[in-house]
Amino acid sequence: MAEPAPFLTDIWYFAMPSAALTRGGMQAKMLLGQPLLFARGNDGAPFALRDICPHRGIPLSCGRFDGKEVECCYHGWRFDGTGGCTAIPSLVPGQEFDLARIKVRRYALAEAQGNLWVWMGEQEPDGPPPQMPDMEGRAPNLTEVMEFPCHVDHAVVGLMDPAHGPFVHQSWFWRSAKSIHEKAKAFGPAPYGFAMKRHKPSSNSAAYKLLGGAPETEISFRLPGIRTEHIVAGRHRIVNLTTVTPLDANRTEVTNSFYWTLGWADLARPVLRRFVRRFLGQDRDVVVLQQQGLRHDPTLMLIKDADTQARWYYQLKNEYGRARDEARPFVNPVKDTVLRWRS
Ligand code: FES
Ligand SMILES: [Fe+2]
């Protein structure tokens, strides 16, 4: 495996839950090594700008936001939600200055199903951000955010890796290393990714039994790092969305959200939250340990079939970048396959 590839661009990244950006509020956030300023106007509309004042480079987020315009804290230049400059206080009457010449870069932002997605790229968005099935008009019932101190590739590969479960996620109520057994799952291509086709979860997923009815689940992954688990249990639906967003080369934000249609699950929220934190924490802790070895730039391995999904991730990423560079349609490299592994 070579050096971590640069970040994918011209694609939607999960930015933050909608609730993190209040009306009239602003927030600075590094994404893909770029400083961004997120704000939500008094009218409720969110926007994202490059968080650098074009005058002398100070972060715009150091200034003030009045719910309509951002005012730089240095010389008071003002910018609206499109990034256009609206005022330069130092100008005296008669000093000709075309404010329209001054622009802060604006990033396309989309708000859907309780989340904010940002388009990181030079081109305009090619469509809406990923949609969660069965959850139109809903927002997540539970969201947990955790920072992993690693490059995005290691976070994605670590989260999709099926063989680490019995070792990293050991616990009395979930599973142990002794519970390892052989699995065979059918996979196929999906938009900008792949899916583990709809199936009944394996018997060691005891938590699913809480749902009542015979649950069926479909797990899909799409670039740049979006995993969706769609569970159908009787008349109920659950969607677990995991997004992996690079903050910079060595920091990655993992956000895990649940949407559900079960009323009683709201009561179980504190317990579920602890469970999610513990589970994600186990994934993060192992990544922290992994960094000790990665510092020495070792050659790594991807073996069949347990690491095939990781291999697909790298293939998908390469193809996405190449298709864009060559201005041609994306060709999904994943074929229908049954993968077998013990976990
Ligand atoms: S640096 Fe922002 S107004 Fe001068
Ligand atoms: Fe894990």
Side-chain angles (χ1 to χ4, degrees):
M1 254 165 56
E3 280 289 288
F7 304 124
L8 268 193
T9 53
D10 291 302
I11 197 161
W12 288 109
Y13 279 89
F14 176 87
M16 62 182 74
S18 294
L21 202 59
T22 52
R23 254 170 216 261
M26 66 172 171
Q27 220 187 100
K29 186 161 185 171
M30 188 76 79
L31 289 182
L32 283 66
Q34 302 292 320
L36 270 71
L37 166 73
F38 291 87
R40 188 188 294 283
N42 286 337
D43 59 358
F47 62 88
L49 303 177
R50 182 165 159 83
D51 192 13
I52 295 180
C53 180
H55 183 212
R56 297 284 180 73
I58 202 165
L60 288 171
S61 58
C62 296
R64 292 186 311 121
F65 179 51
D66 64 3
K68 205 163 164 244
E69 292 174 343
V70 182
E71 183 185 271
C72 180
C73 70
Y74 206 166
H75 312 93
W77 293 19
R78 297 175 69 86
F79 302 90
D80 63 20
T82 70
C85 182
T86 56
I88 296 182
S90 66
L91 294 177
V92 298
Q95 277 177 340
E96 289 295 317
F97 200 98
D98 183 10
L99 293 185
R101 275 181 25 220
I102 305 172
K103 273 232 161 244
V104 178
R105 177 172 176 185
R106 168 200 152 269
Y107 291 83
L109 199 60
E111 185 155 41
Q113 296 172 313
N115 287 319
L116 288 164
W117 300 81
V118 62
W119 180 264
M120 299 296 287
E122 300 306 322
Q123 301 159 12
E124 280 301 299
D126 59 357
Q131 299 289 306
M132 300 310 115
D134 288 338
M135 296 297 161
E136 215 28 70
R138 288 175 179 269
N141 298 77
L142 176 76
T143 298
E144 276 299 310
V145 184
M146 206 172 274
E147 192 176 308
F148 283 35
C150 65
H151 185 271
V152 62
D153 288 351
H154 289 297
V156 170
V157 166
L159 289 163
M160 66 171 42
D161 164 21
H164 74 287
F167 300 94
V168 171
H169 299 298
Q170 279 181 24
S171 66
W172 61 267
F173 61 92
W174 187 251
R175 55 174 314 172
S176 69
K178 287 202 195 81
S179 70
I180 293 184
H181 60 275
E182 185 175 324
K183 289 176 185 160
K185 308 274 181 183
F187 286 82
Y192 296 121
F194 55 86
M196 183 193 287
K197 294 178 183 167
R198 193 159 286 291
H199 66 287
K200 298 216 190 308
S202 53
S203 53
N204 64 3
S205 306
Y208 290 136
K209 291 187 185 136
L210 287 171
L211 297 174
E216 284 194 344
T217 180
E218 182 182 60
I219 301 174
S220 46
F221 172 83
R222 68 181 287 161
L223 293 172
I226 300 158
R227 178 190 185 275
T228 312
E229 183 163 1
H230 181 212
I231 301 166
V232 174
R235 62 195 169 83
H236 289 302
R237 302 285 182 272
I238 299 176
V239 171
N240 179 214
L241 167 68
T242 310
T243 59
V244 185
T245 301
L247 302 178
D248 59 30
N250 302 307
R251 294 183 309 134
T252 299
E253 195 168 78
V254 178
T255 304
N256 194 284
S257 356
F258 278 90
Y259 298 77
W260 58 63
T261 60
L262 308 84
W264 61 260
D266 289 327
L267 296 172
R269 198 182 342 242
V271 177
L272 285 170
R273 191 182 293 286
R274 279 184 55 191
F275 178 78
V276 171
R277 283 206 73 75
R278 173 158 173 186
F279 207 80
L280 273 184
Q282 289 168 333
D283 286 317
R284 183 201 47 206
D285 291 350
V286 81
V287 154
V288 170
L289 299 175
Q290 183 190 28
Q291 290 304 307
Q292 297 178 19
L294 293 183
R295 236 173 267 141
H296 303 282
D297 201 19
T299 308
L300 305 178
M301 299 161 70
L302 294 174
I303 68 160
K304 285 182 179 168
D305 285 351
D307 296 334
T308 297
Q309 294 176 74
R311 207 181 279 250
W312 285 340
Y313 166 64
Y314 288 114
Q315 290 171 354
L316 285 158
K317 220 176 132 172
N318 285 338
E319 166 59 13
Y320 194 90
R322 268 204 311 269
R324 200 198 62 150
D325 291 348
E326 297 165 11
R328 59 167 175 79
F330 171 86
V331 181
N332 196 318
V334 178
K335 305 276 175 277
D336 282 315
T337 324
V338 173
L339 299 183
R340 290 150 51 90
W341 68 82
R342 281 169 50 81
S343 71

